[in-house]
Coordinates of all heavy atoms in Angstrom, one line a residue:
Y25 N 8.5 77.8 -124.0 CA 9.2 78.0 -122.7 C 8.3 77.5 -121.5 O 8.9 77.2 -120.5 CB 9.6 79.5 -122.5 CG 10.8 79.8 -123.3 CD1 10.7 80.5 -124.5 CD2 12.1 79.3 -122.9 CE1 11.9 80.8 -125.2 CE2 13.2 79.5 -123.7 CZ 13.1 80.2 -124.9 OH 14.2 80.4 -125.6
L34 N 16.3 70.9 -118.7 CA 16.5 72.3 -119.1 C 16.1 73.3 -118.1 O 16.8 74.4 -118.0 CB 15.8 72.6 -120.5 CG 16.3 71.8 -121.7 CD1 15.6 72.2 -122.9 CD2 17.8 71.9 -121.9
I37 N 18.7 74.9 -115.8 CA 19.7 75.8 -116.5 C 19.2 77.2 -116.5 O 20.0 78.2 -116.2 CB 20.1 75.3 -117.9 CG1 20.6 73.8 -117.8 CG2 21.1 76.2 -118.5 CD1 21.0 73.3 -119.2
F38 N 17.9 77.4 -116.8 CA 17.4 78.7 -116.8 C 17.2 79.2 -115.3 O 17.6 80.3 -115.0 CB 16.0 78.7 -117.5 CG 16.2 78.6 -119.0 CD1 16.3 77.3 -119.6 CD2 16.3 79.7 -119.8 CE1 16.4 77.2 -121.0 CE2 16.4 79.6 -121.2 CZ 16.5 78.4 -121.8
A42 N 21.3 80.2 -114.8 CA 21.2 81.6 -115.4 C 20.3 82.6 -114.5 O 20.5 83.8 -114.7 CB 20.7 81.5 -116.8
E43 N 19.5 82.0 -113.7 CA 18.5 82.8 -113.0 C 17.8 83.8 -113.9 O 17.8 85.0 -113.7 CB 19.2 83.5 -111.8 CG 19.8 82.5 -110.8 CD 20.4 83.2 -109.6 OE1 20.6 84.4 -109.6 OE2 20.7 82.5 -108.6
T44 N 17.2 83.2 -114.9 CA 16.6 84.0 -116.0 C 15.4 84.8 -115.5 O 14.6 84.3 -114.7 CB 16.1 83.0 -117.1 OG1 17.2 82.3 -117.6 CG2 15.3 83.7 -118.2
D45 N 15.4 86.0 -115.9 CA 14.3 86.9 -115.7 C 13.3 86.7 -116.8 O 13.5 87.3 -117.9 CB 14.8 88.4 -115.6 CG 13.6 89.3 -115.4 OD1 12.5 88.9 -115.5 OD2 13.9 90.5 -115.2
H49 N 13.2 87.9 -120.7 CA 13.6 86.9 -121.7 C 12.5 86.6 -122.8 O 12.9 86.5 -124.0 CB 13.9 85.5 -121.0 CG 14.5 84.5 -122.0 ND1 15.7 84.7 -122.7 CD2 14.1 83.3 -122.3 CE1 15.9 83.7 -123.4 NE2 15.0 82.8 -123.2
K52 N 12.4 89.2 -125.6 CA 13.6 89.1 -126.4 C 13.5 88.0 -127.4 O 13.9 88.1 -128.5 CB 14.8 88.9 -125.4 CG 16.1 89.2 -126.0 CD 17.2 88.8 -125.1 CE 17.5 89.8 -123.9 NZ 18.7 89.4 -123.1
M53 N 12.9 86.9 -126.9 CA 12.8 85.7 -127.8 C 11.7 86.0 -128.9 O 11.8 85.5 -130.0 CB 12.5 84.5 -127.1 CG 13.6 84.1 -126.1 SD 15.3 84.1 -126.9 CE 15.1 82.7 -128.0
F56 N 13.6 87.9 -131.4 CA 14.6 87.1 -132.0 C 13.9 86.3 -133.2 O 14.4 86.3 -134.3 CB 15.2 86.1 -131.0 CG 16.1 85.1 -131.6 CD1 17.4 85.5 -132.1 CD2 15.8 83.8 -131.7 CE1 18.2 84.5 -132.7 CE2 16.6 82.8 -132.2 CZ 17.8 83.2 -132.7
W57 N 12.9 85.6 -132.8 CA 12.2 84.7 -133.9 C 11.5 85.5 -134.9 O 11.5 85.1 -136.1 CB 11.3 83.7 -133.2 CG 12.1 82.6 -132.5 CD1 12.1 82.3 -131.2 CD2 13.0 81.6 -133.2 NE1 12.9 81.2 -131.0 CE2 13.5 80.8 -132.2 CE3 13.4 81.4 -134.5 CZ2 14.4 79.8 -132.4 CZ3 14.3 80.4 -134.8 CH2 14.8 79.6 -133.7
Y67 N 15.5 92.5 -133.1 CA 16.4 91.8 -132.2 C 17.8 92.3 -132.4 O 18.3 92.3 -133.5 CB 16.3 90.3 -132.4 CG 17.4 89.5 -131.5 CD1 17.2 89.4 -130.2 CD2 18.6 89.1 -132.1 CE1 18.1 88.7 -129.4 CE2 19.5 88.4 -131.3 CZ 19.3 88.2 -130.0 OH 20.2 87.6 -129.2
G69 N 20.9 91.2 -130.2 CA 21.6 90.6 -129.0 C 22.7 89.8 -129.5 O 23.1 89.8 -130.7
N70 N 23.3 89.0 -128.6 CA 24.4 88.1 -129.0 C 24.1 86.7 -128.4 O 24.6 86.4 -127.3 CB 25.7 88.7 -128.4 CG 26.9 88.0 -128.9 OD1 26.8 86.8 -129.3 ND2 28.0 88.7 -128.8
P71 N 23.4 85.9 -129.2 CA 23.1 84.5 -128.7 C 24.4 83.7 -128.4 O 24.4 83.0 -127.4 CB 22.4 83.9 -129.9 CG 21.9 85.0 -130.7 CD 22.8 86.2 -130.5
A74 N 25.6 84.8 -125.0 CA 24.6 84.4 -123.9 C 24.8 83.0 -123.5 O 24.6 82.6 -122.4 CB 23.2 84.7 -124.4
H75 N 25.1 82.1 -124.5 CA 25.3 80.7 -124.2 C 26.7 80.3 -123.8 O 26.9 79.4 -123.0 CB 24.8 79.8 -125.4 CG 23.4 80.1 -125.7 ND1 23.0 81.0 -126.6 CD2 22.3 79.5 -125.2 CE1 21.6 81.0 -126.7 NE2 21.2 80.1 -125.8
R77 N 28.7 82.0 -121.9 CA 28.9 82.3 -120.5 C 28.4 81.1 -119.7 O 28.8 80.9 -118.5 CB 28.3 83.6 -120.1 CG 26.9 83.6 -119.7 CD 26.3 85.0 -119.2 NE 24.9 84.8 -118.8 CZ 24.5 84.5 -117.6 NH1 25.4 84.4 -116.6 NH2 23.2 84.4 -117.3
L78 N 27.4 80.4 -120.2 CA 26.9 79.2 -119.4 C 27.8 78.1 -119.3 O 27.7 77.3 -118.4 CB 25.5 78.8 -120.0 CG 24.4 79.8 -120.1 CD1 23.2 79.3 -120.9 CD2 24.0 80.2 -118.7
M84 N 26.9 72.2 -121.1 CA 26.0 72.6 -122.2 C 26.3 71.6 -123.4 O 26.5 72.0 -124.5 CB 26.3 74.0 -122.6 CG 25.9 75.1 -121.6 SD 24.0 75.2 -121.6 CE 23.7 76.2 -123.1
K88 N 21.9 68.3 -124.1 CA 21.1 69.5 -123.8 C 20.5 70.1 -125.0 O 19.3 70.5 -125.1 CB 21.9 70.5 -123.0 CG 22.7 70.0 -121.8 CD 21.7 69.5 -120.7 CE 22.5 69.2 -119.5 NZ 23.6 68.2 -119.6
F89 N 21.3 70.2 -126.1 CA 20.8 70.8 -127.3 C 19.8 69.9 -128.0 O 18.9 70.4 -128.6 CB 22.0 71.2 -128.2 CG 22.7 72.4 -127.8 CD1 23.7 72.4 -126.8 CD2 22.3 73.7 -128.3 CE1 24.3 73.6 -126.4 CE2 22.9 74.8 -127.8 CZ 23.9 74.8 -126.9
W92 N 16.6 70.4 -126.2 CA 16.1 71.7 -126.6 C 15.4 71.6 -127.9 O 14.2 72.1 -128.1 CB 17.2 72.8 -126.7 CG 16.8 74.2 -126.8 CD1 16.8 75.2 -125.9 CD2 16.4 74.9 -128.0 NE1 16.4 76.4 -126.4 CE2 16.1 76.2 -127.7 CE3 16.2 74.4 -129.3 CZ2 15.7 77.1 -128.7 CZ3 15.8 75.3 -130.3 CH2 15.5 76.7 -130.0
C115 N 15.7 76.4 -139.1 CA 16.6 77.5 -138.6 C 17.1 77.1 -137.2 O 18.2 77.3 -136.8 CB 15.9 78.8 -138.5 SG 15.6 79.5 -140.1
A116 N 16.1 76.6 -136.4 CA 16.5 76.2 -135.0 C 17.5 75.1 -135.0 O 18.5 75.1 -134.2 CB 15.2 75.8 -134.2
M119 N 20.9 76.6 -135.9 CA 21.4 77.4 -134.9 C 21.9 76.6 -133.7 O 22.9 76.9 -133.0 CB 20.5 78.5 -134.5 CG 20.4 79.6 -135.5 SD 19.5 81.0 -135.0 CE 17.9 80.5 -135.5
A120 N 21.1 75.6 -133.3 CA 21.5 74.7 -132.2 C 22.9 74.1 -132.5 O 23.8 74.0 -131.7 CB 20.5 73.7 -132.0
I123 N 25.6 76.9 -132.3 CA 25.8 77.4 -130.9 C 26.5 76.3 -130.1 O 27.6 76.5 -129.5 CB 24.5 77.8 -130.2 CG1 23.9 79.0 -130.9 CG2 24.8 78.1 -128.7 CD1 22.5 79.4 -130.3
Ligands
HEM201 C1 21.0 73.6 -124.5 C2 20.1 74.4 -125.1 C3 19.9 75.8 -124.7 C4 19.8 76.3 -123.4 C5 20.0 75.5 -122.1 C6 19.6 77.7 -123.5 C7 19.6 78.6 -122.4 C8 19.6 79.9 -122.5 C9 19.7 80.8 -121.4 C10 19.9 80.4 -120.0 C11 19.7 82.1 -121.9 C12 19.8 83.4 -121.1 C13 18.5 83.8 -120.6 C14 18.7 84.9 -119.6 O1 18.7 86.1 -120.0 O2 18.8 84.6 -118.4 C15 19.4 82.0 -123.3 C16 19.3 83.1 -124.2 C17 19.0 83.0 -125.5 N1 18.9 81.8 -126.2 FE1 19.2 79.9 -125.5 N2 19.5 78.1 -124.8 C18 19.6 76.9 -125.6 C19 19.6 76.8 -126.9 C20 19.3 77.9 -127.8 C21 19.1 77.7 -129.2 C22 19.3 76.4 -130.0 C23 18.8 79.0 -129.7 C24 18.5 79.4 -131.1 C25 17.8 78.7 -131.9 C26 18.7 79.9 -128.5 C27 18.5 81.2 -128.6 C28 18.6 82.1 -127.5 C29 18.6 83.6 -127.7 C30 18.3 84.3 -129.0 C31 18.9 84.1 -126.4 C32 18.9 85.6 -126.0 C33 20.4 86.0 -126.2 C34 20.5 87.5 -125.8 O3 20.7 87.8 -124.7 O4 20.4 88.3 -126.8 N3 19.0 79.2 -127.4 N4 19.4 80.7 -123.7

Side-chain angles (χ1 to χ4, degrees):
Y25 284 106
L34 297 181
I37 302 182
F38 286 88
E43 298 183 349
T44 298
D45 175 353
H49 186 57
K52 202 186 278 184
M53 298 311 292
F56 173 73
W57 285 116
Y67 171 76
N70 186 339
H75 299 92
R77 89 177 180 88
L78 299 173
M84 290 289 283
K88 308 294 187 307
F89 281 87
W92 189 104
C115 291
M119 284 188 273
I123 295 172

